Amino acid sequence: MNRCKNIASSLLVAAIICTTMSCKEEQGTFNVEVYETSAAGNNLTRVTPFEIKDSTTVITINENITYQKITGFGGAFTESSAYLLNRLSKKNKDSIIDAYFSNRGANYSLTRTHMNSCDFSLSQYSYSPVVDDMELEHFTIQEDRDDLIPMIKDAMAASDDGFKIFASPWTAAPWMKDNNHWVGGKLLPKYYDTWALFFSKYIDAYEAEGIPIW
């Protein structure tokens, strides 16, 4: 994990797009070059290009035929984005929140946040900091109170239609894993029940903050 304080991570990390497109216009024709990235993100493979002729090509949407339902569009709440947002003036912070969450802006409807720290956190931390605390008596979301929770609450207040939040962990605490490290490793079977309890406590803790997890 890194201390991500640069502006590239300054607010919301939206959906990851698996293709890169390069377009150039030549005499009314848009030539689109498409590249697929590798899973590791370090290799580009060019896909056979195609043409869109703006004067002759017509795309028709049949509104009477529906397929899968889209739950929503949005991005992620992360500690580093919340940290940076908190260092802006109230006017600028409100403007950014409105741009993403109000009806005057993008009106995000689906969001994600991280359980424990993630790769967009300022440090590595867990809500279960005490080794072998099987019943999670020392469970705490204190690390989220300075920046992350206030950002989510500000977004909820700015949203006219409301939005769903789902949460996911990047890793369990190192003491629950076979390699005893933040990165890599596997959850040890003896901690399966503890890890399930971790999810339950997290949902309850955020609910107590007035933040329901979808």
Side-chain angles (χ1 to χ4, degrees), residues 39-54:
N42 58 3
N43 185 44
L44 288 176
T45 303
R46 183 172 177 176
V47 181
T48 303
F50 56 89
E51 291 187 352
I52 300 174
K53 297 182 177 179
D54 60 351

Side-chain angles (χ1 to χ4, degrees), residues 11 93-102 104-108 158:
L11 196 59
K93 181 164 69 172
D94 289 347
S95 294
I96 290 173
I97 289 289
D98 282 349
Y100 283 99
F101 294 99
S102 75
R104 299 178 299 278
N107 197 22
Y108 275 7

Side-chain angles (χ1 to χ4, degrees), residues 14 18 24-25 46 62 65 71 77 91 98 101 105 108 123 155 159-161 170 174 179:
C18 297
K24 62 180 179 178
E25 184 177 4
R46 183 172 177 176
N62 187 340
I65 299 177
T71 300
F77 294 108
K91 179 181 178 181
D98 282 349
F101 294 99
Y108 275 7
S123 63
S159 176
D160 299 295
D161 302 319
W170 267 235
N179 67 348

